[in-house]
């Protein structure tokens, strides 16, 4: 869904986000054992990392009291996920303290862990020690095209090589439950090196509304993995990617936010080397509040011979 929104940002007909009704709606099998289904599987035919992170945080959140809020999570992807079978999430109540509680989550397929995660939750506390960076100044989402509209524009180019047309059609056919508006969309046919930094306006597709903040954190976990690692490739666009996959993912939640409202995702890559790339991300609310910080490292393998122009 990306259609009209009624008063207070509520969509006409109250079409709820599929992220809430399906993707992050885990089935409880036992007290601390859950089963998750898949919604969108990328063209790689591997499970989307953001889905596993989001579902693992849902499982962890179901094992803490309602008054606790997620403040951080640290994960490792240890095996490729199989899109043909569901994922089981096993939660261990590692520690329940007065202010902080830790939950460990293991995601299992075919009897083996594919992902491990530690999530920490905190009872809300006030402190005079507060500061944050300043939000970058970028055009508002209303002035920008969606990813779908940009692809449509590229497809209208009569000189577009057939294999790139096929690639773009494939992306366009994917049912990603996120609205994305790139701020400075890179020319996908250009192979010139770019600064490893990019900005997107992002939000969940559909309506989520005012609800437990943990729900919005789970949705942000899903969103945060989309196009994130690609930031590390911007200086290396002359190479064809052979293999790219997330190794780990960390998030820190700083302030309340609505994941179904536009947020600015600021992504940068300070380093790449040794077949790995490191990316940092910040999710900003429209009013300038820093809501979430993310970090990820991934494996990046490319063909040794640089590419020519894609047109």
């Amino acid at each position: 869904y990306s259609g009209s929104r009624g008063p207070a940002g509520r969509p006409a007909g109250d079409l709820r986000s599929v992220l809430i009704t399906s993707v992050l709606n885990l089935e409880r099998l036992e007290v601390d054992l859950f089963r998750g289904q898949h919604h969108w599987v990328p063209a790689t035919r591997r499970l989307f990392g953001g889905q596993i992170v989001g579902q693992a945080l849902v499982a962890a959140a179901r094992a803490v009291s309602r008054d606790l809020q997620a403040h951080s999570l640290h994960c490792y992807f240890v095996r490729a996920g199989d899109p043909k079978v569901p994922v089981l999430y096993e939660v261990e109540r590692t520690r329940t303290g007065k202010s902080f509680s830790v939950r460990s989550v293991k995601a299992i397929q075919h009897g083996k862990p594919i992902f491990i995660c530690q999530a920490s939750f905190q009872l809300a506390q006030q402190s005079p020690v507060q500061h944050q960076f300043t939000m970058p100044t970028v055009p508002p989402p209303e002035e920008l095209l969606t990813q779908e509209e940009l692809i449509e524009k590229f497809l209208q180019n009569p000189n577009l090589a057939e294999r790139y047309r096929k690639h773009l059609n494939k992306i366009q056919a994917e049912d990603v439950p996120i609205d994305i508006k790139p701020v400075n969309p890179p020319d996908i046919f250009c192979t010139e090196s770019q600064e490893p930094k990019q900005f997107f306006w992002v939000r969940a597709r559909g309506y989520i509304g005012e609800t437990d903040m943990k729900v919005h954190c789970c949705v942000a976990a899903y969103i945060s993995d989309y196009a994130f690692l690609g930031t590390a490739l911007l200086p290396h666009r002359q190479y064809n990617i052979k293999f790219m996959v997330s190794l780990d993912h960390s998030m820190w939640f700083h302030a309340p936010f609505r994941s179904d409202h536009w947020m600015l995702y600021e992504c940068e890559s300070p380093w790449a080397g040794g077949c790995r790339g490191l990316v940092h991300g910040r999710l900003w609310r429209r009013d300038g509040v820093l809501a979430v910080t993310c970090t990820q490292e991934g494996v990046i393998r490319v063909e040794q011979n640089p590419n020519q122009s894609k047109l």
Side-chain angles (χ1 to χ4, degrees), residues 282-293:
R282 288 187 273 271
L283 276 167
W284 299 90
R285 285 187 345 205
R286 287 193 73 162
D287 61 359
V289 170
L290 180 59
V292 185
T293 299

Side-chain angles (χ1 to χ4, degrees), residues 29-84:
L29 302 177
E30 246 299 340
V31 177
D32 288 331
L33 185 65
F34 303 88
R35 177 161 52 201
Q37 304 292 341
H38 320 311
H39 172 70
W40 168 66
V41 175
T44 57
R45 306 313 300 161
R46 291 165 171 268
L47 285 185
F48 173 51
Q51 175 192 294
I52 303 171
V53 178
Q55 289 182 340
L57 188 55
V58 170
R62 293 235 193 134
V64 297
S65 60
R66 195 176 168 86
D67 55 354
L68 289 173
Q69 292 303 337
H71 77 86
S72 73
L73 60 91
H74 303 278
C75 326
Y76 280 99
F77 299 93
V78 292
R79 286 183 179 86
D82 179 356
K84 295 189 289 297

Side-chain angles (χ1 to χ4, degrees), residues 119-136:
S120 184
F121 299 83
Q122 182 189 13
L123 199 59
Q125 293 168 310
Q126 295 303 311
S127 167
V129 181
Q130 287 187 39
H131 73 268
Q132 65 159 59
F133 280 0
T134 304
M135 180 180 179

